[in-house]
Amino acid sequence: DVKVTQSSRYLVKRTGEKVFLECVQDMDHENMFWYRQDPGLGLRLIYFSYDVKMKEKGDIPEGYSVSREKKERFSLILESASTNQTSMYLCASSPFDSANTGELFFGEGSRLTVL
Amino acid sequence: AQSVSQHNHHVILSEAASLELGCNYSYGGTVNLFWYVQYPGQHLQLLLKYFSGDPLVKGIKGFEAEFIKSKFSFNLRKPSVQWSDTAEYFCAVISMNRDDKIIFGKGTRLHILP
């Protein structure tokens, strides 16, 4: 089974702190994604990556950055956390396979609270 | 721009009731369509998908969805729901243009009364 592992299930940080959210997948997938999930707003794409060292902005990249130094790992960085970044963060991966385009495998999520 | 609209934000049903969750998308070309489900405390997972062929697709746990191209719809159905179907359901669409990304609807919270 595909496994997408997010390093922290729950985090509490203070405004202005730097936050790292780590995600690792074990299926050699090329594509990786970071979403945030908020009630009533669904899933919103923050950043994605189609390959090592590559990154693309999603719909809401402001206040976030990402790093993909290895194929299996995709990190989300909040340089200076703010209260409006309190949310559930979901990592996902998918193969670069046109036959399965759009099928994502999700991690369990990281619930971040910024005080 | 592509968009996905889920008609119901919150649905409450009794066990054994029939379920239909609406999903419409806006895109004129070829698309792949999905329903994802998130059970309480669990990760988001694929419920079913449509890529091509028979427009009536069957997924896990007795769910099915019908793709109606003329209506740009992909409604999710289940004839008889169970308490364990309590979850949040997301419709999603991606166009066959490689530059496009998957777009999710805002989700429908389904609550089944025992």
Side-chain angles (χ1 to χ4, degrees):
Chain A
D1 282 350
V2 175
K3 193 164 178 67
V4 179
T5 303
Q6 294 184 229
S7 55
S8 304
R9 291 293 304 275
Y10 301 95
L11 303 95
V12 179
K13 298 291 182 181
R14 296 203 176 274
T15 301
E17 282 192 80
K18 191 169 186 176
V19 182
F20 292 88
L21 299 179
E22 305 284 342
C23 176
V24 177
Q25 49 95 4
D26 65 1
M27 280 301 291
D28 201 36
H29 285 169
E30 289 79 8
N31 306 333
M32 296 190 75
F33 307 81
W34 274 106
Y35 290 88
R36 64 178 282 176
Q37 182 182 11
D38 300 288
L41 298 178
L43 276 68
R44 292 181 290 168
L45 182 63
I46 304 171
Y47 267 96
F48 61 102
S49 169
Y50 288 150
D51 202 351
V52 176
K53 305 279 188 184
M54 289 182 62
K55 59 184 179 183
E56 298 282 346
K57 291 180 180 179
D59 300 317
I60 53 163
E62 297 77 20
Y64 303 95
S65 62
V66 291
S67 172
R68 191 152 183 215
E69 297 295 319
K70 294 184 178 181
K71 189 175 185 180
E72 67 272 17
R73 187 180 298 270
F74 192 36
S75 303
L76 180 69
I77 303 153
L78 287 67
E79 293 289 342
S80 178
S82 62
T83 55
N84 62 13
Q85 293 178 309
T86 291
S87 186
M88 172 70 85
Y89 290 88
L90 301 180
C91 176
S93 72
S94 72
F96 191 78
D97 176 357
S98 60
N100 291 292
T101 297
E103 184 172 351
L104 302 179
F105 297 85
F106 285 89
E108 291 189 335
S110 298
R111 185 168 292 282
L112 171 67
T113 301
V114 183
L115 302 176
Chain B
Q2 295 177 65
S3 67
V4 177
S5 175
Q6 292 183 237
H7 311 310
N8 310 100
H9 298 297
H10 198 183
V11 173
I12 301 173
L13 294 172
S14 298
E15 275 194 310
S18 65
L19 169 72
E20 181 159 4
L21 301 182
C23 173
N24 286 91
Y25 66 93
S26 64
Y27 185 73
T30 303
V31 295
N32 287 350
L33 296 154
F34 306 83
W35 277 96
Y36 284 85
V37 61
Q38 188 173 33
Y39 297 103
Q42 295 188 28
H43 67 278
L44 206 62
Q45 59 187 289
L46 184 68
L47 189 60
L48 49 76
K49 61 187 178 185
Y50 173 80
F51 285 175
S52 63
D54 188 344
L56 184 63
V57 293
K58 295 190 184 300
I60 60 173
K61 302 189 179 185
F63 284 91
E64 64 180 32
E66 184 175 13
F67 171 50
I68 303 178
K69 190 174 182 179
S70 61
K71 295 185 178 180
F72 299 92
S73 70
F74 191 55
N75 293 353
L76 181 70
R77 299 195 294 248
K78 186 170 183 178
S80 177
V81 295
Q82 300 172 306
W83 177 77
S84 59
D85 294 324
T86 294
E88 190 161 17
Y89 294 81
F90 294 91
C91 181
V93 61
I94 186 169
S95 79
M96 289 296 93
N97 181 339
R98 288 294 304 180
D99 292 334
D100 284 344
K101 303 176 293 294
I102 189 168
I103 305 294
F104 285 88
K106 288 185 164 58
T108 297
R109 285 187 179 273
L110 176 64
H111 186 73
I112 306 299
L113 302 174

